[in-house]
Amino acid sequence: MPKADRETGIVTTGPYRQVRHPIYLGLTMLAAGQAVAFSSWPALLIVLTGLAPNFAWRACAEETLLSRTFGERYAACRRRTRMIIPNLVRGTAGPSRFEYRSPSADLDIRSRDGRGT
């Protein structure tokens, strides 16, 4: 079990903006992807019935520890993010995580003669 410490704080950047336990999501996707790539349906069955539930159980245990350590700060984090599976669909509960911004929105587009368009 990892150690939680008030001095370390709660990480909310990078993949933690989407999910609270990104390592479990990544490892499950890696194992499932390998099982599919090698056409090993027994391996995929083990991932879905053994590995994924084990990670979910472990994440729940970590959630308990983090809730005890950080209290309301972690409760606020829980309201903003999902535990393992990210919320990628707009219009569902919680704030939108992805915004499309046109690359040209940050550019000063000018015509060939140097004047703005």
Side-chain angles (χ1 to χ4, degrees):
M1 178 75 64
K3 294 181 180 179
D5 188 326
R6 287 182 190 260
E7 293 175 11
T8 59
I10 301 171
V11 178
T12 58
T13 58
Y16 293 94
R17 288 183 57 205
Q18 310 304 320
V19 292
R20 294 187 304 273
H21 303 278
I23 190 70
Y24 298 142
L25 173 63
L27 289 173
T28 301
M29 289 177 61
L30 177 67
Q34 287 179 335
V36 170
F38 290 109
S39 299
S40 178
W41 304 117
L44 183 61
L45 184 65
I46 290 170
V47 169
L48 296 176
T49 61
L51 188 66
N54 183 38
F55 284 158
W57 171 80
R58 215 173 139 81
C60 286
E62 290 175 13
E63 295 271 314
T64 302
L65 174 66
L66 292 167
S67 291
R68 268 189 270 141
T69 304
F70 296 106
E72 180 54 36
R73 286 178 41 214
Y74 193 69
C77 180
R78 289 180 72 177
R79 287 189 293 272
R80 284 191 313 269
T81 60
R82 304 282 303 267
M83 182 187 284
I84 296 176
I85 300 172
N87 183 11
L88 301 177
V89 181
R90 288 184 182 203
T92 58
S96 175
R97 306 275 193 271
F98 295 99
E99 296 290 329
Y100 174 75
R101 184 177 175 109
S102 170
S104 63
D106 295 327
L107 300 176
D108 182 17
I109 300 175
R110 299 191 178 271
S111 62
R112 290 183 189 205
D113 62 2
R115 290 181 286 159
T117 57

